[in-house]
Amino acid sequence: MKKNTLNLVASFALFIFFSNLISSQNRPNIVIIFADDLGYSSISPYGAPSTALETPALTDMANDGRKFLNAYTPTSMCSPSRYGLMSGRYYWRDVRDWGIIENSDDCTLVRNRYNLASRLKNEGYNTGGFGKWHMGYDRPSSVPYNIPNYVGFDYWHDYRVRPNGTRIDDEEDADRFRTGEYLDNEVAAWLNNQSRETPFFLYFAPISIHSPYIPNEAYQGASAAGDPYTDYIMELDGSVGKVLDILEDKGLDDNTIVIFTSDNGSVTGHTRELREDPSINFIASGLYGDDNEKFEGSKLRIHEAGFKVPMIVKWPNRIPAGTSSTELVNVIDIYASLMEALSIQMQAPEYEASDSYSFYPAWFYDLDEPIRDNMIVNSFEGIRAVYADGWKYIDGVVREPTPYRFFNSRREEREAHEQLYNLSNDPFEDNDLVGRISQRSRVADMKNLLENIADQGYSRPAYTLSTKSIEDNAKNVFIYPNPVADFIQVSNLTEKKNGAIYNILGAKIKDVNIANNEKIDVRELNGGLYFLRFNDTKKTMRFLKK
């Protein structure tokens, strides 16, 4: 596909929000499959060797959609990443600086603030969730363990809660309910009840591949490596395949956005400790510790392997098939991206999805400038790192009051101090530059950036519509102020300009010759998103055709 000429200013994210443009019947369905502890290179599309396993469903999904090769989670652990996905906010803003939420804790999702499920329900979506909640189960009087139904889900089936709402406390019994087959059947029953008349949001959070590694009998020995760990990954792939098959069988796949990703990296990793002493890798896996590629660290840690995850987005006949993007994105960004895809206006960042940047344009194009100009991640112990301009600064501050649970002397030596890496040429964090005299100002700047983002209370810019002309606008991309039926026009042009209108896939629709305030006829265009680009400049106008 053609490389677009969109030039997004790093500190400015664009949003289209004509909420009455698309009726609820025409809005796409949304499916998010959120795996557990799946490392970056644990599946075939991201480099898992066929000598260990194969993941045909995820391979097909990648061939039909777009892989994001630089996708991160907000934390290197479970519940804070789930909170980030659902709220669009960093976990430490609302909950605490370290650790996870236990199932007995209060629900972390604030009820007077939208989350992804409640927002979509408010927009007319049927909302269903299955699998792992891990965001707290505070209980209103006489209502046992079904808090998800009070924060946006019409239907929720948790692997640790029986259909009657009672808690499963016995681990062995709970394991029976967590199996892929059991959850798959529950998901299939709900999905088969959905129709074209009402859009739906499916949040499927499988337990795989979190320990214990207990693949169903059908998958035991299925992988080439033949160990439970790789077998379990193949079972996860089978679960994805069942969802995709149902969508296709019901004729819903063309109008469904499917997003697959993980809550954090794998528990194994290509750590320095493993390189020095392979015996400490407690999982005998056919992936041999390379399920996080060659990235340093693992789940819970502050280095790359804890945060780098696969992310695939599929939307047939819209997202160009079989493509990939190196855009810096985060699981948190799924919230704002879906809002833009649905033309839903969000509230100001102080009140909704405070840290979620829409990477919706990157679903379709390779962008000239990054959408995100910063990003914060944190480890189990609350150590934070900030990313900016291809650099990563680690503050080394342990915020957990009594860091003992996972924090051994090896990890303390490796993580509990300031660090600086140029990820552009050192993606595996081999060369710590924090002590270099030449980097003192960068360290100070990134430290200030980290503190300022935390203090401000939000990090995403407010989304706005520009009503300025293409020549008068300081930004290189702006949005036509209204959805159009017949004509568009550009003001403040000093001379005629040649240009063209392109569709969302980058195909040229028509050449145009544009004069000041002259109407451009677009009546023959089908409804959707288009781009007007001038031949002699990178400036671009995005507009929606009714």
Side-chain angles (χ1 to χ4, degrees), residues 388-403:
D389 300 323
W391 289 78
K392 176 181 179 180
Y393 166 74
I394 299 171
D395 71 1
V397 178
V398 176
R399 293 174 173 84
E400 184 181 7
T402 54

Side-chain angles (χ1 to χ4, degrees), residues 259-281:
I259 301 175
F260 174 86
T261 188
S262 178
D263 62 350
N264 47 251
S266 169
V267 294
T268 72
H270 203 80
T271 63
R272 284 174 174 76
E273 297 97 313
L274 177 59
R275 295 175 216 172
E276 296 164 3
D277 181 8
S279 67
I280 67 170
N281 183 16

Side-chain angles (χ1 to χ4, degrees), residues 225 227 229-230 233 268 281 283-289 291:
D227 64 74
Y229 187 72
T230 46
I233 296 173
T268 72
N281 183 16
I283 295 175
S285 166
L287 293 174
Y288 301 112
D291 44 354

Side-chain angles (χ1 to χ4, degrees), residues 168-177:
I168 303 172
D169 291 313
D170 181 82
E171 288 295 333
E172 188 172 332
D173 193 22
D175 286 343
R176 181 170 62 85
F177 285 91

